[in-house]
Amino acid sequence: MNKRLSTASGWLAATLTGAVAVGCSLSTPVIAPGASQIAGNVGTLSLQGRRFVQTGETAVSISYRSKAELQKLVDAGLDVWMVQPGTVSGAVSRQLLNELKENGVTFTMLSPTEGYSIRSTFDRGYQTTASLPGTMWALAAKYPAICKVEDFGDSWEKTTGKGGSDLLMFHIGAGNNKAQKPGIVFFGNHHARELVTVEIPLRLATLLLEGYGKDPAITDLVDTRDIYIAPMINPDGHVHAEKGESWRKNTHSDKADVTVEDRGYFGTDLNRNYGFKWASGGASSNPTDETYMGKSAFSEPETQAVRDFMVSHKNIKIMMSYHSFSNLILWPWGWSNSPTPDADKLSTIGKKLAAPGKYTPEQASDLYVASGITDDFTYGQLGMLSFTTEIGTWNDHFDPPYSRVDKFWGENKDGALYLIKLAGETNAAFGPEPRLENGKVVFDGHGVTGKVTEVETYVGKPGAPGTGTKVAVKGESIDLTGIEATGKGRVYARGRDANGNWGPAMAIRL
Ligand SMILES: [Zn+2]
């Protein structure tokens, strides 16, 4: 009996069937009978149609009866792909697979053979580690007045003379005093195989740059905010993902002779390596696990680069990190089940971000405790409002066809713009959000905060709530007819709901 998974009263086995479901072929139902009884109708997760490759890992669905049991699996190094009521699915190492068997844990194999996990598909529509810098430089070169590409660090392979890459970010904003403006940062691809998480930041940068001078709201945000967008934090790992490997971590290895079975999973999980409450649960100390936390907090050059950048940019108010998949919006804490002092604000914003794609909004630890994550560092250490988005469904997996990116961008575009607005006045989170739609300013509470009942406008710059010119509200919008730029400056609008909460101001006329 392995003590990691056992308890005084025994592991999961007591009321489950006790039988270990192994060796299921792909055509058998993948949810074990015990699991479906516990979980109710959770649907059928399948990896049918996938190709499998020898990595030493095995894809499984595991039954759990309580959050504590789920947490034991995560603490033991389970690479979680998706959590459902009563069932968690993902990949286990050979060691953990053996422990499941030894402890009589009910699980179902999703892989056809032990030691074989999925081979990814890499759609050539996606950016590669090699193509991304050129794409970024070319885009920035079209808008030199408002965009630069900045090199903020090196990947592990670069720091160790093995090739590797620079870590690059767009720095978007007008004027020379950007550091005095409210800042925001977006990160993509801490986990290499999560391909879409490179594309969403790239779409955001493109939207801001192409919209500048055309869309009043975007133009004003670029003028008044300090915006950083880093699409790929893990370029070394991404090279493996491009070869069809289901690669999550960076490529840090201290072993000279990596065996076939090691090859699939050496490296450090960059989203378990951050130095706030590092190593306090939900991360593995075993280098062959997908959630390996690293030798020490901030042991990796990639997390060091993010840390040094964040610490030296105190004007940044909000951090968003994109991951895939599971259709989730998450906020701190990850390391603790306790709410943060800002729980009300984080959950209000998080629910609004979740609304367009009908994602599930929750505190990260509501899923399971995980430590060393980006959000806990940027919130816990630096006080920035911090979020993680998990994009896509089980069927999308980590490698959906590139054509799916349009849909994902549609689900996340408004949320990204909303965060940029909020960066200037985070206390406006509780009021209605203004948005320009077809010549109207629509105020949207996203079903989270109240409907707009009062609107005021300002000329020149957004004034404090209650100091503007009152405007008639029709339904949940104001008509822009009759609200003209006066020549004295930009026109801004701000709304208030029936509870008296003011939302952020937004430029509606240039
Ligand atoms: Zn991830």
Side-chain angles (χ1 to χ4, degrees):
M1 186 72 79
N2 184 288
K3 63 177 179 287
R4 289 201 306 171
L5 292 183
S6 65
T7 64
S9 58
W11 165 253
L12 302 167
T15 65
L16 294 175
T17 63
V20 179
V22 291
C24 298
S25 76
L26 282 177
S27 56
T28 10
V30 296
I31 302 296
S36 51
Q37 282 161 21
I38 299 162
N41 181 20
V42 296
T44 301
L45 299 182
S46 168
L47 293 176
Q48 264 180 312
R50 305 285 322 205
R51 291 175 301 153
F52 292 83
V53 63
Q54 186 180 11
T55 62
E57 297 179 328
T58 307
V60 292
S61 279
I62 309 171
S63 304
Y64 66 88
R65 293 171 306 179
S66 66
K67 228 188 138 184
E69 288 183 350
L70 170 61
Q71 190 64 46
K72 273 180 182 293
L73 294 165
V74 176
D75 290 347
L78 170 66
D79 171 21
V80 177
W81 295 350
M82 189 168 178
V83 178
Q84 294 170 291
T87 307
V88 58
S89 304
V92 292
S93 64
R94 278 209 189 276
Q95 183 191 344
L96 186 49
L97 185 70
N98 289 334
E99 290 173 22
L100 295 179
K101 293 178 189 174
E102 287 167 19
N103 287 278
V105 177
T106 301
F107 70 93
T108 305
M109 288 205 4
L110 301 179
S111 298
T113 313
E114 288 182 17
Y116 279 66
S117 193
I118 54 168
R119 182 160 181 80
S120 288
T121 303
F122 186 75
D123 186 323
R124 300 310 295 186
Y126 285 106
Q127 291 293 328
T128 63
T129 292
S131 71
L132 182 65
T135 302
M136 292 177 70
W137 289 322
L139 183 59
K142 286 160 73 178
Y143 306 94
I146 54 169
C147 184
K148 282 195 310 231
V149 173
E150 297 177 356
D151 173 355
F152 70 103
D154 293 333
S155 70
W156 181 79
E157 289 181 22
K158 181 144 189 186
T159 61
T160 52
K162 295 176 170 65
S165 298
D166 294 323
L167 303 179
L168 301 178
M169 56 168 58
F170 292 107
H171 184 188
I172 296 175
N176 297 317
N177 57 342
K178 297 186 194 69
Q180 275 84 59
K181 297 174 183 175
I184 182 165
V185 64
F186 297 86
F187 292 120
N189 204 240
H190 272 76
H191 291 146
R193 65 194 176 190
E194 299 171 10
L195 306 178
V196 65
T197 70
V198 181
E199 306 297 326
I200 298 300
L202 201 49
R203 297 264 174 128
L204 176 60
T206 306
L207 176 78
L208 295 172
L209 296 173
E210 291 181 350
Y212 187 73
K214 302 184 183 108
D215 180 293
I218 287 174
T219 304
D220 192 66
L221 290 174
V222 170
D223 282 339
T224 59
R225 305 289 191 267
D226 192 25
I227 304 165
Y228 298 90
I229 302 172
M232 193 186 280
I233 300 300
N234 187 2
D236 292 346
H238 201 274
V239 170
H240 289 266
E242 293 161 22
K243 294 186 221 160
E245 296 170 44
S246 184
W247 199 278
R248 173 181 169 99
K249 301 185 282 183
N250 74 354
T251 62
H252 186 159
S253 174
D254 297 326
K255 285 175 70 176
D257 53 335
V258 175
T259 68
V260 172
E261 289 252 322
D262 287 328
R263 201 182 59 212
Y265 48 158
F266 62 82
T268 297
D269 184 344
L270 298 179
N271 203 34
R272 297 292 184 274
N273 188 243
Y274 284 89
F276 184 84
K277 301 290 180 184
W278 178 81
S280 38
S284 174
S285 54
N286 178 353
T288 64
D289 280 329
E290 291 286 6
T291 54
Y292 176 53
M293 63 179 82
K295 277 180 291 200
S296 57
F298 291 120
S299 57
E300 306 309 304
E302 293 90 349
T303 54
Q304 290 164 16
V306 172
R307 174 197 63 194
D308 294 347
F309 169 77
M310 300 304 278
V311 166
S312 61
H313 290 77
K314 293 279 194 291
N315 62 322
I316 294 179
K317 308 295 181 201
I318 297 179
M319 188 286 296
M320 168 61 84
S321 184
Y322 293 106
H323 286 254
S324 70
F325 52 86
S326 282
N327 281 356
L328 299 167
I329 301 285
L330 306 172
W331 54 85
W333 302 116
W335 72 278
S336 164
N337 286 309
S338 302
T340 68
D342 292 299
D344 201 15
K345 188 182 285 183
L346 288 165
S347 70
T348 299
I349 299 169
K351 288 171 185 170
K352 292 181 179 182
L353 299 177
K358 298 188 169 61
Y359 292 4
T360 301
E362 59 190 329
Q363 182 171 324
S365 57
D366 287 355
L367 281 176
Y368 51 84
V369 165
S371 59
I373 65 174
T374 316
D375 313 44
D376 281 358
F377 168 68
T378 55
Y379 174 75
Q381 194 79 43
L382 303 172
M384 301 164 183
L385 297 177
S386 301
F387 299 91
T388 289
T389 303
E390 296 275 2
I391 301 168
T393 66
W394 176 272
N395 287 335
D396 290 311
H397 225 79
F398 300 115
D399 55 352
Y402 180 76
S403 58
R404 292 281 288 163
V405 176
D406 287 346
K407 177 179 189 289
F408 300 139
W409 175 231
E411 294 168 350
N412 287 284
K413 180 182 105 169
D414 285 348
L417 288 175
Y418 176 55
L419 289 180
I420 300 172
K421 285 175 206 161
L422 274 192
E425 37 185 347
T426 58
N427 285 329
F430 299 101
E433 178 203 356
R435 211 170 47 232
L436 275 171
E437 273 177 21
N438 306 320
K440 281 185 169 181
V441 184
V442 177
F443 290 85
D444 196 344
H446 299 286
V448 181
T449 50
K451 293 182 176 183
V452 70
T453 55
E454 191 180 325
V455 172
E456 57 184 32
T457 59
Y458 319 86
V459 177
K461 61 177 187 171
T467 64
T469 305
K470 298 281 176 285
V471 180
V473 187
K474 296 172 191 162
E476 294 201 62
S477 66
I478 57 172
D479 199 328
L480 284 178
T481 314
I483 302 177
E484 297 299 334
T486 59
K488 291 181 282 183
R490 291 178 183 176
V491 182
Y492 297 80
R494 182 197 297 282
R496 178 156 86 157
D497 69 14
N499 299 321
N501 295 310
W502 288 97
M506 185 189 78
I508 59 173
R509 284 273 196 260
L510 291 176

